[in-house]
Amino acid sequence: MTYVPPIRDINFVLDHVADVDDLLTRPPFTDVDRETLDFMIEEVGRFMAEVIAPTNVDGDKIGATWSVGDDGYGRVTVPESFTSAYKQFVASGFGAVPFDPEFGGGGFPWIAAIAIQELMTSANMAFALCPLLTQGAIDAIHHHGTDDQKALYLPKMLTGEWTGTMNLTEPHAGSDVGALTSKAEPVGDGSFKISGQKIFITFGEHEMAENIIHLVLARTPGSPPGTKGISMFLVPKYLANEDGSPGQRNDVSCVSIEHKLGIHGSPTCVLAFGENDGAIGWPLGDEGAGMRNMFTMMNNARLSVGLQGLALTERAYQQALGYAQERVQGTAVGAEKGAKSPIIDHANVRRMLMTQRSWIDAMRCLLYENAAALDRTVGGGDDAEAQQEWADLLIPLSKGLCTDVVNEMTSLAIQIHGGMGFVEETGVAQYYRDARIAAIYEGTNGIQAADLVGRKLPMRGGAVVLEKLDAAAALAAELTGVAPLGDFGPRLTEATAAARRATEWLLEHGMTNPNNALAGSTPYLRMLGVVICGSLLGTLAKATLDADDDADFLAAKQASARFFGEQILPTVGALEAQVTAGADLLFALSAEQLA
Amino acid sequence: MKVVVCVKQIPDPADPGALDPETKTLKRDMKLILDESDSYGVEMALQLVDAAGEGEVTLVSMAPNNERSGLSTALAMGAASATLVSDPALQGSDSLTTAKVLAAAIKDQSPDLVIAGSESSDGYTGTVPEQIAGVLDLPSVTAAKSITVDGSSIKVQRQTDAGHDDVECPMPCVVSVTAGVVEPRYPSFKGIMAAKSKPVDEKTAADLGFDADAVGWAGAGQEIVDVAEAPQREAGEIVEDDGEAYTRIVGFLEELKII
């Protein structure tokens, strides 16, 4: 199935929601001009559609395979089409766009990287995970590395010639990273011998790149238990020679890869460090600061996973739409008697398509606004603190909401295909399977909900959330009575009021009994996420009223926003009851009684 | 080695354009992209200059509204500069006028080689490269699938129905390139960043020495008298295989003179 990059939709959100023109007047982005940004996004779209998208089915059908190499280390082979596409990706240089020009980067704002990632992930999510993890490792080295480490690793990682991994999880340390037991013993020359086993390491082994830089969390001798005793180490697959080229093989072996529901093209590795003569690693950042330092990249990583929700919804929608236009079944209301209608003419199919389309617009607003807020914190402008609060509030919504929604939307894409959707040959099932992981990794959506009520809602005693709800209410009043938007304004007013009541309930009852807040946290994330999406779509819809653009395009944006207002915003009414029910009923049955 | 590549900027074929009922020509007032059939010429030119180890690729294009989006793509691929001829007076130019205008823009540059696509993907007249050669009084080679430089001449493999002809031609000359014969590179991030500072020389018809009434609708030696919808494809014939259907297939292929 071909992929058509939604360049125009991305541009519209960049213009009217994220306000990129404003962003580019702020340091350090003043050297980036809008025309070049637009041109780049367009060329990236073409590259992803023509070079990366055709490899998506290979990733699923052939997948990554494991074997033992001649050197005795575990070997991972990805589909041949991945290797050649990756080579072209390196040649493109698109991996370097948002990074420091000192190391070969483009110095573009993060939102540019988000646009690239959206296009790449829609094209092939499994493939896109490799550059995504590399990006996280680049960020970590850039923030916490010594000058020598930066000079040695960053230039090669920015081009993608070397890739990066993040090694946190161990068999007994998943969401509770503090439980990890991997060890780092000092050798005496500044380096450490790393030993232990890490699981769920994305692209932990492959041969697309000439070196892999593993960032590993481990404990030094005598370190305190829990997260305070964790340090971060840089462990390359091949140790660098004097001239920086990859030399001796380090003692890191991929001992197996997982057999997964989806993203088959992305090898999920079990890595064994130091099983033979010891894996050499160097500290990255201060001893004991590993966990805190890993969290510097967390906002970006969670935003990127949220983006996978949008990207797969977009791809699945494109395929479902194509099918609905071609598949002829039954006679639609209003069709000539006896004539067979394409299923797109049936109201129920339309409902599914409109729901997908409307969520695509909503998610794109949320994610790109989140990226823009992160970018606005960088230059330290007057509003940097407010932007940081906004970005921090948006992160659990971007990650949690978009990755929940993608499960529903890729499921609808299968539904639109009917029985053929359940058959693998159609290809639409792959998006559903690939999407499923996004709600789990990078902090499960339960963790996101806990983060929302436990850390984000309490910011300034709840004022950050309440101020945003006030702004949404003001926008709702402004859009009430605006004819092309139907009942968007009144529905946003009601939804905002419901979210305010739920927020106030949590602020009051969550403080006395944290389990009350946690019990309602998942429906609250959905509720606040839907309302914030509604308000951002309100901003988008407002812009359509006087934007200088193609009339059909603007009308489609209005219809999509209106659908969200009239059909999706009202669902928050039901969520209010869930949020404010408290924890008692969840624990009414004992663990034994649940058996 | 100096190579000029003629590139056309056309409406995005993925976003089907409409005909202007007044002029019976394609509406071209939107953003235009590099014609894919020209991207092969750009790639071939870049490879030739790479192989020569010196020289540069420059572009010439004629487009409405000073449109340069398609030129940007070719510049980001690696061309050094471009000449863009844009003038309301040129609207409605036929292929011969187009060739004269492009020839005038090329002439000043004294290239060793001029490369063009065999035909554009929006107009399909397929005559402009040869007309340019005629106007400039240069030899012309058509339907090239590969070009190699050999001293002061080029060796061309010229696509034919049966295979290819080997052709030699002295430089300077004009060569039209068959679509799909090379893999056009994608612009890299570095190429995209470099493209914005590459010179694009904008010229009007008058700059190139043309009177307004000698070009465009006024100067066209042809007129589009009518346009009609393409006929619907007719339903195919279904042959039930009773064990002898192959004879029908053989007969059908013979009828088409394929076998």
Side-chain angles (χ1 to χ4, degrees):
Chain A
M1 179 67 197
T2 55
Y3 163 61
V4 181
I7 302 299
R8 211 168 172 189
D9 304 82
I10 292 173
N11 279 339
F12 201 75
V13 171
L14 290 179
D15 274 335
H16 300 293
V17 179
D19 197 359
V20 162
D21 287 343
D22 162 76
L23 184 60
L24 298 185
T25 64
R26 294 165 175 247
F29 307 121
T30 49
D31 286 346
V32 179
D33 70 279
R34 181 64 198 274
E35 210 178 316
T36 306
L37 175 66
D38 288 353
F39 176 41
M40 181 197 73
I41 292 175
E42 202 165 315
E43 289 295 343
V44 168
R46 195 161 68 88
F47 177 83
M48 297 303 169
E50 293 176 12
V51 179
I52 308 299
T55 65
N56 194 40
V57 172
D58 271 5
D60 191 51
K61 295 243 181 330
I62 303 169
T65 51
W66 181 89
S67 61
V68 179
D70 295 341
D71 57 6
Y73 288 105
R75 216 185 139 189
V76 170
T77 310
V78 295
E80 219 174 280
S81 59
F82 272 42
T83 305
S84 58
Y86 190 78
K87 212 168 153 186
Q88 281 185 271
F89 173 74
V90 170
S92 80
F94 292 137
V97 170
F99 293 111
D100 191 343
E102 192 186 333
F103 302 104
F108 276 48
W110 199 254
I111 199 166
I114 286 296
I116 296 172
Q117 260 175 53
E118 181 196 328
L119 297 162
M120 178 156 42
T121 308
S122 287
N124 184 341
M125 172 169 162
F127 178 91
L129 278 161
C130 188
L132 181 63
L133 268 293
T134 304
Q135 190 174 282
I138 289 171
D139 240 0
I141 296 170
H142 194 258
H143 274 98
H144 307 295
T146 63
D147 287 348
D148 285 348
Q149 286 173 332
K150 289 187 209 177
L152 176 59
Y153 296 105
L154 289 180
K156 291 279 189 186
M157 293 177 80
L158 259 65
T159 59
E161 287 163 278
W162 297 358
T163 64
T165 70
M166 300 300 222
N167 296 248
L168 286 79
T169 306
E170 296 177 8
H172 299 289
S175 293
D176 181 10
V177 184
L180 66 83
T181 59
S182 285
K183 289 193 189 72
E185 300 274 351
V187 173
D189 62 353
S191 70
F192 284 68
K193 287 220 164 173
I194 313 292
S195 58
Q197 198 178 77
K198 294 287 179 181
I199 61 168
F200 296 162
I201 310 308
T202 300
F203 277 94
E205 172 57 31
H206 63 88
E207 291 168 359
M208 298 193 297
E210 59 181 24
N211 205 355
I212 303 174
I213 311 305
H214 304 291
L215 302 190
V216 185
L217 292 186
R219 292 182 182 284
T220 47
S223 61
T227 54
K228 288 203 176 79
I230 297 174
S231 305
M232 184 159 29
F233 295 87
L234 190 156
V235 186
K237 175 178 170 185
Y238 293 103
L239 301 171
N241 291 323
E242 286 283 311
D243 64 356
S245 63
Q248 190 198 327
R249 183 74 155 86
N250 206 354
D251 185 15
V252 186
S253 187
C254 173
V255 294
S256 66
I257 62 172
E258 310 295 346
H259 301 277
K260 309 188 294 291
L261 177 66
I263 52 166
H264 296 154
S266 163
T268 302
C269 304
V270 177
L271 291 187
F273 291 86
E275 298 243 299
N276 301 310
D277 41 354
I280 305 293
W282 289 270
L284 188 66
D286 294 338
E287 196 169 334
M291 198 59 194
R292 199 173 65 233
N293 289 348
M294 199 58 103
F295 271 64
T296 29
M297 286 80 67
M298 199 181 61
N299 272 354
N300 285 348
R302 291 186 170 175
L303 178 60
S304 292
V305 172
L307 192 68
Q308 293 174 338
L310 165 66
L312 283 193
T313 303
E314 170 75 48
R315 186 84 194 260
Y317 169 72
Q318 288 189 13
Q319 176 153 350
L321 175 64
Y323 188 79
Q325 284 164 332
E326 280 171 19
R327 173 71 172 166
V328 174
Q329 222 39 203
T331 307
V333 175
E336 214 173 288
K337 202 172 168 219
K340 295 290 179 198
S341 306
I343 61 171
I344 196 169
D345 288 343
H346 297 298
N348 258 314
V349 175
R350 277 299 170 101
R351 168 174 293 283
M352 293 191 273
L353 291 167
M354 280 302 286
T355 303
Q356 291 175 315
R357 194 182 166 99
S358 179
W359 266 117
I360 288 168
D361 282 333
M363 288 192 278
R364 195 171 279 123
C365 288
L366 177 66
L367 295 157
Y368 283 70
E369 172 67 11
N370 200 161
L374 285 169
D375 280 327
R376 288 190 169 94
T377 66
V378 178
D382 293 345
D383 61 348
E385 205 176 318
Q387 294 289 346
Q388 186 69 56
E389 286 176 345
W390 183 217
D392 288 345
L393 173 62
L394 289 173
I395 287 292
L397 305 180
S398 291
K399 199 283 178 180
L401 181 67
C402 297
T403 62
D404 274 346
V405 166
V406 71
N407 280 303
E408 301 160 26
M409 297 306 120
T410 51
S411 177
L412 284 183
I414 291 179
Q415 192 70 23
I416 291 166
H417 282 73
M420 288 312 292
F422 198 63
V423 172
E424 286 286 357
E425 277 77 355
T426 326
V428 73
Q430 185 190 343
Y431 309 127
Y432 181 68
R433 292 184 288 96
D434 284 352
R436 190 60 189 85
I437 185 59
I440 299 169
Y441 60 19
E442 204 47 51
T444 65
N445 285 2
I447 299 267
Q448 303 304 321
D451 177 50
L452 177 62
V453 299
R455 291 204 187 90
K456 306 303 166 66
L457 175 60
M459 289 191 293
R460 282 200 279 121
V464 175
V465 173
L466 293 172
E467 281 167 16
K468 290 298 172 186
L469 291 176
D470 287 344
L475 178 65
E478 201 184 325
L479 295 176
T480 297
V482 175
L485 303 181
D487 283 336
F488 182 90
R491 295 292 93 84
L492 184 57
T493 301
E494 290 158 14
T496 306
R500 173 173 273 279
R501 289 191 297 272
T503 302
E504 284 168 348
W505 188 93
L506 286 174
L507 286 168
E508 191 185 333
H509 296 84
M511 300 302 152
T512 49
N513 177 5
N515 237 6
N516 278 332
L518 290 169
S521 62
T522 291
Y524 181 65
L525 187 150
R526 179 82 176 203
M527 183 185 208
L528 191 65
V530 168
V531 171
I532 298 289
C533 277
S535 98
L536 293 169
L537 272 179
T539 305
L540 184 95
K542 194 176 148 192
T544 62
L545 301 173
D546 55 7
D548 176 26
D549 212 318
D550 175 56
D552 286 346
F553 176 78
L554 294 175
K557 288 287 166 219
Q558 284 168 5
S560 169
R562 187 174 163 190
F563 186 89
F564 196 89
E566 295 180 6
Q567 298 275 338
I568 295 172
L569 278 176
T571 61
V572 306
L575 294 167
E576 185 185 354
Q578 295 181 16
V579 174
T580 58
D584 291 352
L585 186 58
L586 296 187
F587 293 91
L589 295 178
S590 68
E592 292 74 30
Q593 282 174 302
L594 280 167
Chain B
M1 169 111 191
K2 180 157 185 156
V3 185
V4 170
V5 185
C6 303
V7 294
K8 189 168 183 184
Q9 305 176 79
I10 64 168
D12 190 343
D15 197 7
L19 282 181
D20 180 345
E22 278 291 289
T23 65
K24 304 185 187 68
T25 55
L26 197 61
K27 284 187 183 167
R28 309 178 82 238
D29 54 357
M30 68 289 276
K31 185 178 168 178
L32 304 175
I33 64 167
L34 177 66
D35 189 342
E36 195 197 341
S37 70
D38 288 327
S39 64
Y40 304 102
V42 174
E43 179 62 37
M44 217 177 240
L46 291 169
Q47 288 182 14
L48 284 172
V49 168
D50 273 352
E54 53 83 31
E56 63 177 21
V57 176
T58 62
L59 311 166
V60 297
S61 185
M62 181 171 121
N65 309 322
N66 295 85
E67 175 61 41
R68 56 165 78 185
S69 302
L71 283 180
S72 295
T73 300
L75 290 170
M77 286 170 74
S81 64
T83 304
L84 172 62
V85 189
S86 191
D87 193 328
L90 291 169
Q91 201 197 350
S93 295
D94 60 9
S95 63
L96 182 56
T97 308
T98 304
K100 286 178 182 167
V101 170
L102 292 176
I106 291 165
K107 199 173 178 182
D108 296 343
Q109 306 191 29
S110 317
D112 299 301
L113 180 63
V114 178
I115 292 180
S118 290
E119 58 183 358
S120 66
S121 310
D122 62 342
Y124 293 107
T125 62
T127 50
V128 172
E130 297 72 36
Q131 288 172 324
I132 291 173
V135 173
L136 293 175
D137 200 21
L138 292 176
S140 157
V141 182
T142 58
K145 54 186 263 191
S146 82
I147 307 173
T148 44
V149 176
D150 184 13
S152 60
S153 61
I154 53 168
K155 288 183 171 170
V156 176
Q157 287 189 347
R158 195 179 165 277
Q159 185 94 46
T160 64
D161 286 344
H164 70 261
D165 294 337
D166 287 314
V167 177
E168 276 188 52
C169 178
M171 290 195 287
C173 58
V174 179
V175 181
S176 71
V177 170
T178 307
V181 292
V182 282
E183 181 89 16
R185 68 195 66 186
Y186 288 88
S188 68
F189 180 50
K190 279 201 178 108
I192 288 166
M193 294 302 286
K196 67 178 172 184
S197 51
K198 288 180 174 173
V200 176
D201 185 13
E202 290 183 7
K203 289 198 185 301
T204 62
D207 291 340
L208 294 171
F210 294 95
D211 288 337
D213 56 6
V215 294
W217 295 114
Q222 64 182 39
E223 187 189 350
I224 302 166
V225 289
D226 193 20
V227 285
E229 294 260 349
Q232 288 282 338
R233 259 215 332 230
E234 287 172 25
E237 184 191 353
I238 295 170
V239 181
E240 293 283 342
D241 185 11
D242 54 2
E244 298 295 315
Y246 70 91
T247 58
R248 295 287 305 274
I249 294 172
V250 171
F252 178 71
L253 293 175
E254 277 173 349
E255 213 175 292
L256 291 177
K257 300 201 168 100
I258 290 172
I259 55 174

